[in-house]
Amino acid sequence: MSLKRCMLAIWPASQRRKAMLQVKENFNYKHAKASWMSAAEAFKLVGYLSEIGAAEGSVDSLMRAGKYNKFFEDAAAPPQGQSDFRSCVPLVYTLINGIEMFIKACEYAAYPERVPSAPSKLPALIAAFDRAPYPKDASILALVHTYTGGGAPDLLKRFLARSGLTVADLLTMRRHISNHGFFAAIERYQPLLFDSEEGKRFFAMVLADITPVIPLTTAFAAAIDDDGNPGRPVKMLLVT
């Protein structure tokens, strides 16, 4: 029997409950920290790629001609000042996945005494986030509702409409490629992304929207130490 179990066995019932509650809280806060760290990594990557896409002199960035499913035949580096249009696919996925991880971290931190009831489906997860009573920063709310709902940029909405997909479908498609029309859907990116000026505006918008969220996400992760003890920014999310 471990030392922790021995100590719990000889403590009075009230102390045992308090000790187990602390273990459970720390478990959830550690999960919150890991989720915010993952979200921060995702947002930083999206910000970096968006900055490249919106950079002056890179009008065609992330939009190089070529078919996605000819990846190996068309694997040469893009021309100078341009990036590979195939980066658009993981960029959009990473953005949505970062939003998902941010919300799940909030759920872990807000309800540390239980496993959070965060739904696995993106629309239900966002609905739960909207209903939750804890405070939400305006920048993360704007990011969530701009890129997962009706407020999405026209370029993204047209792609989804032509592909017969929702944002949640796009997330699922990247996770379970064999179960979805992956290549058929991705090919529909091309007529949109060849409109390079619109693409440039799209990436400039993503960069502007995600920039304030990166330090916010990093600050939440940093407010929980490695032992799972939360600081004030995270405690403010606690639902009592």
Side-chain angles (χ1 to χ4, degrees):
M1 182 180 292
S2 68
L3 177 61
K4 182 183 287 186
R5 288 181 179 272
C6 288
M7 293 175 67
L8 289 175
I10 61 176
W11 281 352
S14 60
Q15 288 183 288
R16 289 202 303 271
R17 284 194 297 272
K18 183 177 180 180
M20 292 307 296
L21 180 60
Q22 182 65 30
V23 169
K24 192 178 293 184
E25 283 186 355
N26 285 6
F27 178 82
N28 273 17
Y29 283 129
K30 285 181 179 180
H31 272 267
K33 183 181 181 70
S35 296
W36 272 317
M37 288 176 68
S38 295
E41 290 170 350
F43 292 151
K44 286 177 183 178
L45 176 59
V46 171
Y48 171 73
L49 290 174
S50 297
E51 189 170 17
I52 294 173
E56 200 63 40
S58 279
V59 177
D60 293 326
S61 59
L62 310 186
M63 302 168 212
R64 185 165 63 96
K67 289 187 175 295
Y68 191 93
N69 59 7
K70 290 187 177 179
F71 184 88
F72 295 104
E73 294 92 330
D74 188 30
Q80 187 175 4
Q82 299 180 21
S83 291
D84 199 322
F85 83 97
R86 288 173 297 224
S87 297
C88 289
V89 183
L91 182 146
V92 175
Y93 167 78
T94 302
L95 173 61
I96 305 305
N97 183 238
I99 290 171
E100 179 186 38
M101 295 303 294
F102 186 99
I103 295 174
K104 287 184 176 179
C106 290
E107 290 291 302
Y108 274 109
Y111 305 98
E113 297 179 14
R114 63 168 172 78
V115 176
S117 56
S120 58
K121 300 293 185 182
L122 185 64
L125 181 65
I126 293 169
F129 181 63
D130 287 339
R131 292 193 304 267
Y134 47 79
K136 306 172 187 80
D137 186 272
S139 62
I140 189 65
L141 277 175
L143 192 73
V144 169
H145 291 290
T146 297
Y147 297 95
T148 65
D154 287 342
L155 185 150
L156 182 56
K157 286 195 289 190
R158 287 205 313 274
F159 161 68
L160 294 172
R162 293 181 187 185
S163 304
L165 298 170
T166 65
V167 172
D169 292 333
L170 190 62
L171 194 63
T172 304
M173 182 181 71
R174 289 292 293 182
R175 285 179 175 159
H176 310 288
I177 290 175
S178 61
N179 296 329
H180 297 269
F182 179 73
F183 290 118
I186 295 307
E187 284 300 317
R188 293 187 175 92
Y189 262 100
Q190 294 184 77
L192 304 181
L193 299 179
F194 287 158
D195 184 358
S196 57
E197 284 296 336
E198 184 182 20
K200 185 177 179 180
R201 291 193 299 272
F202 170 74
F203 288 110
M205 179 179 176
V206 173
L207 180 60
D209 289 341
I210 207 166
T211 297
V213 175
I214 294 172
L216 170 71
T217 310
T218 304
F220 274 130
I224 302 175
D225 67 23
D226 291 341
D227 292 326
N229 300 304
R232 185 175 179 275
V234 174
K235 287 181 178 179
M236 290 178 66
L237 298 177
L238 180 65
V239 175
T240 55

